[in-house]
């Protein structure tokens, strides 16, 4: 009873990522893949910034980073610069890569903590190659000479989400995916099984299928309106429920290889540099700021001429109770939404596709497959939620109602346990289905001043003087490697400059 027809409702980033991945994985198999989307429905265009896992997606498709970046006006992302979060006037960097080097089975942050307690004041970012390159606006895709852990870094991309979707659409249709333009008017289900059987379009056309993938965005046409899967609301933990976006021309400065997140009075503002423009947006809490105030704040901070009118978005942070129901699987905004603070929207689409392929059903749609998909996806959402929540809970902005309220939030048990163990002795806890690894948590702890007064006693194998000398050598190595890298502008011009 093999699946022979897949219908994807909605294009955009989620729909075309699903189509591209599935047509590649099921090459030479008689499975018809159809994407139906309406030109009358505007896509949200989420995910202009990504995390390094997106490059695995490129490799699975058999395309290079440079190819994607040329098609989507892309740039390099080495991490995120957090401005005014820990306190007004202060900033820290969340890099993609390691900090320092371990020794004798002891993680580097314990040696850094030992040195800090002995009077050293160098920030932990001084031991990160990704951070050093980002600060210098430099980038190299790989080192010519291995440098141990000090040379370990990763990178992601910024891209125009609309152009990325167009690139994937071209990729998919060349490989046999059918593209149908039309608005879904009715969804028909089997009266006994409850499975979706076909879609009826406004013009009367019928699209039958075995497996239906809901990429219809916040409408959640299939998973919500048809299958009735309710929404789990996390607004009590993550307060922002609005966003306004305005692209603008880039300023006179260099093309920076990182995203910037700047805390504002009732939320935060993103800056995403692309080759042809800069993406800007203000994510905020409607309980603490009006839409007009948000637009005015964003307009007033643009570095160049605005290129479009404000795009207003309303959202509820959370997810569907089930992402896979019957023969319907939801991806992207139809499945749930976690604000773009750490660029996880596309990550959740990508991992959803990977899990669907791993658990791919036949026409019997065995419940155990959907149960496992739903279980692991909920865990993934919860882990990301907790990482985002840490940003709000640990903030150092005092006298602003939203931020003051965030510091009083009751933390979920998993996050509370992580914090207590780190504060006790720098112990890092890793759960299953964690999107962010230990270096990311270290960057948050250090950036917000969450540092324990104790460290691993095994670090005392080395004296304070030996640790101090080793840290000095690490800083020198990191600075030397960063200085040897070409400027980000030069790398883009030489390798992946867009034609238009």
């Amino acid at each position: 009873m093999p699946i022979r027809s897949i219908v994807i409702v909605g294009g955009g980033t989620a729909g075309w990522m699903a189509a591209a991945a599935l047509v590649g994985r099921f090459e030479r198999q008689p499975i018809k893949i159809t994407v139906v989307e309406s030109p009358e429905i505007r896509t949200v265009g989420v995910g202009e910034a990504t995390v390094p896992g997106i490059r695995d997606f490129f490799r699975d498709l058999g395309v290079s980073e440079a190819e994607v970046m040329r098609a989507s006006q892309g740039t390099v992302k080495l991490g995120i610069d957090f401005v005014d979060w820990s306190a007004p006037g202060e900033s820290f960097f969340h890099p993609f890569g390691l900090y320092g080097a371990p020794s004798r089975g002891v993680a580097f942050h314990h040696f850094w903590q030992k040195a800090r307690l002995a009077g050293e004041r160098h920030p932990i970012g001084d031991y990160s190659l990704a951070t050093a390159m980002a600060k210098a606006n430099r980038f190299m895709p790989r080192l010519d000479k291995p440098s141990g852990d000090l040379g370990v870094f990763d990178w992601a991309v910024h891209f125009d989400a609309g152009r990325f979707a167009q690139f994937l659409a071209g990729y998919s249709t060349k490989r046999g995916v059918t593209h149908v333009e039309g608005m879904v008017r009715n969804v028909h289900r089997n009266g006994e099984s409850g499975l979706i059987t076909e879609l009826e379009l406004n013009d009367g056309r019928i699209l039958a299928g075995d497996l239906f993938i809901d990429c219809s965005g916040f409408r959640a046409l299939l998973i919500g309106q048809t299958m009735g899967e309710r929404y789990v609301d996390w607004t009590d933990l993550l307060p922002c429920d609005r966003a306004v976006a305005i692209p603008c021309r880039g300023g006179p400065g260099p093309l920076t290889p990182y995203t910037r997140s700047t805390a504002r009075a009732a939320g935060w503002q993103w800056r995403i540099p692309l080759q042809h423009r800069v993406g800007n947006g203000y994510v905020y809490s409607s309980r603490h700021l009006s839409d007009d105030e948000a637009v005015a704040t964003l307009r007033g901070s643009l570095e160049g001429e605005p290129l479009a009118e404000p795009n207003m978005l309303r959202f509820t942070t959370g997810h569907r109770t089930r992402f896979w129901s019957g023969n319907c699987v939801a991806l992207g905004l139809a499945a749930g939404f976690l604000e773009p603070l750490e660029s996880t929207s596309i990550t959740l689409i990508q991992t959803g596709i990977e899990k669907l392929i791993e658990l791919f059903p036949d026409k019997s749609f065995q419940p155990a497959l959907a149960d496992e998909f739903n279980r692991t996806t909920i865990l993934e959402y919860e882990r990301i939620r907790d990482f985002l929540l840490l940003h709000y809970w640990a903030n150092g902005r005092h006298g602003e109602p939203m931020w003051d309220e965030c510091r009083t939030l009751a933390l979920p048990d998993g996050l509370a346990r992580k914090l207590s163990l780190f504060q006790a002795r720098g112990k890092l806890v890793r759960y299953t289905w964690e999107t962010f690894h230990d270096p990311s948590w270290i960057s948050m702890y250090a950036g917000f001043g969450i540092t324990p007064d104790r460290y691993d006693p095994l670090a005392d194998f080395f004296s304070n003087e030996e640790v101090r000398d080793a840290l000095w050598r690490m800083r020198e190595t990191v600075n030397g490697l960063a200085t040897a890298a070409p400027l980000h502008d030069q790398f883009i011009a030489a390798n992946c400059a867009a034609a238009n």
Side-chain angles (χ1 to χ4, degrees):
M1 300 174 60
I3 297 291
R4 287 293 177 247
S5 176
I6 302 172
V7 179
I8 301 170
V9 178
T13 305
W16 287 113
M17 281 184 69
L22 290 167
V23 76
R25 291 295 185 93
F26 290 104
E27 185 180 9
R28 299 179 63 183
Q29 296 191 40
I31 299 179
K32 181 180 181 181
I33 300 174
T34 302
V35 176
V36 56
E37 62 177 339
S38 171
E40 301 171 22
I41 299 178
R42 181 181 180 183
T43 60
V44 173
V46 298
E48 292 198 329
T50 63
V51 298
I54 190 64
R55 293 168 52 230
D56 295 330
F57 182 79
F58 299 159
R59 282 190 287 270
D60 285 345
L61 298 187
V63 300
S64 68
E65 295 95 343
E67 187 178 354
V68 175
M69 293 166 73
R70 279 193 293 270
S72 60
Q73 298 279 358
T75 58
V76 169
K77 178 184 175 183
L78 287 165
I80 305 175
D81 187 28
F82 286 93
V83 179
D84 297 339
W85 282 79
S86 56
E90 296 184 6
S91 66
F92 66 91
F93 196 78
H94 171 198
F96 297 140
L98 300 182
Y99 290 105
S103 182
R104 296 181 61 83
V106 178
F108 169 77
H109 70 279
H110 290 287
F111 295 110
W112 176 73
Q113 179 67 359
K114 176 182 171 71
R116 192 185 73 88
L117 293 174
E120 288 285 327
R121 289 295 175 261
H122 289 279
I124 200 165
D126 287 356
Y127 306 92
S128 161
L129 178 55
T131 301
M133 287 194 293
K135 288 183 176 179
N137 292 313
R138 295 179 177 274
F139 174 72
M140 54 185 165
R142 64 186 63 84
L143 296 178
D144 293 329
K145 297 179 181 179
S147 299
D149 288 337
L150 296 177
V152 175
F153 71 96
D154 211 339
W155 58 284
V157 298
H158 305 117
F159 50 47
D160 182 314
R163 293 178 185 237
F164 179 56
Q166 292 172 8
F167 172 82
L168 293 178
Y171 174 97
S172 301
T173 53
K174 286 179 182 177
R175 287 160 176 79
V177 172
T178 300
H179 182 202
V180 174
E181 288 193 350
M183 178 81 75
V184 177
R185 179 170 62 191
N186 289 311
V187 181
H188 299 157
R189 301 172 68 183
N190 183 293
E192 294 182 5
S193 67
L195 300 182
I196 298 172
T197 56
E198 58 188 24
L199 309 178
E200 180 184 347
L201 306 187
N202 270 350
D203 59 8
R205 284 178 293 171
I206 298 294
L207 296 178
D210 300 323
L211 173 66
F212 291 81
I213 300 178
D214 189 350
C215 298
S216 63
F218 289 130
R219 294 168 61 218
L221 176 64
L222 303 184
I223 197 71
Q225 296 181 35
T226 302
M227 305 305 287
E229 296 297 337
R230 67 180 181 84
Y231 199 83
V232 178
D233 188 340
W234 281 341
T235 308
D236 60 326
L237 292 174
L238 295 170
C240 293
D241 59 354
R242 298 283 191 279
V244 54
I246 305 176
C248 73
R249 297 191 187 280
L255 190 62
T256 53
Y258 55 87
T259 301
R260 179 177 296 133
S261 170
T262 304
R264 298 294 186 195
W268 61 276
Q269 180 177 332
W270 78 72
R271 179 187 183 273
I272 298 174
L274 300 176
Q275 294 183 41
H276 63 315
R277 62 171 171 82
V278 175
N280 308 276
Y282 189 177
V283 180
Y284 59 98
S285 164
S286 62
R287 291 194 302 111
H288 301 90
L289 192 74
S290 70
D291 293 346
D292 289 343
E293 290 171 319
V295 172
T297 299
L298 185 58
R299 282 189 184 277
S301 63
L302 297 181
E303 63 196 74
E305 174 191 354
L307 297 175
E309 291 300 308
N311 181 18
M312 308 298 298
L313 302 173
R314 297 188 175 193
F315 58 85
T316 301
T317 299
H319 63 84
R320 296 286 160 186
T321 49
R322 293 195 297 173
F323 309 86
W324 181 339
S325 179
N327 63 338
C328 172
V329 177
L331 297 173
L333 301 179
F337 185 78
L338 294 172
E339 61 167 86
L341 181 56
E342 286 284 354
S343 310
T344 51
S345 294
I346 286 180
T347 296
L348 288 166
I349 296 169
Q350 183 178 342
T351 56
I353 295 168
E354 290 169 355
K355 282 181 283 194
L356 173 59
I357 292 172
E358 180 183 357
L359 298 167
F360 201 74
D362 60 19
K363 291 180 184 178
S364 68
F365 291 97
Q366 293 297 308
L369 300 175
D371 290 346
E372 180 64 7
F373 185 98
N374 293 326
R375 183 188 71 84
T376 55
T377 305
I378 288 173
L379 284 176
E380 189 176 11
Y381 268 77
E382 289 176 343
R383 305 304 189 221
I384 295 174
R385 175 204 65 192
D386 288 357
F387 189 65
L388 301 184
L389 174 55
L390 177 63
H391 298 56
Y392 285 94
W393 177 85
N395 82 85
R397 300 180 64 89
H398 296 271
E400 296 170 317
M402 190 201 83
W403 295 106
D404 290 341
E405 290 174 16
C406 288
R407 288 192 302 278
T408 68
L409 291 171
L411 301 181
D413 291 343
L415 178 56
R417 178 169 172 261
K418 271 181 176 284
L419 279 165
S420 64
L421 284 168
F422 186 80
Q423 290 170 321
R425 205 209 63 178
K427 172 66 176 176
L428 294 168
V429 178
R430 180 162 174 78
Y431 299 130
T432 57
W433 285 99
E434 290 261 23
T435 297
F436 295 98
H437 296 183
D438 289 350
S440 295
W441 286 90
I442 290 172
S443 72
M444 291 298 118
Y445 292 145
F448 285 111
I450 303 172
T451 53
D453 292 329
R454 299 169 182 82
Y455 53 83
D456 189 332
L458 294 178
D460 284 335
F461 177 86
F462 299 102
S463 68
N464 286 336
E465 291 74 17
E466 288 173 322
V467 171
R468 183 174 61 249
D469 290 345
L471 295 190
W472 176 82
R473 290 193 297 272
M474 289 183 193
R475 293 194 301 272
E476 290 293 298
T477 300
V478 166
N479 288 333
L481 292 171
T483 302
L487 292 171
H488 181 225
D489 289 308
Q490 294 173 348
F491 172 82
I492 295 294
N495 297 279
C496 43
N500 53 51

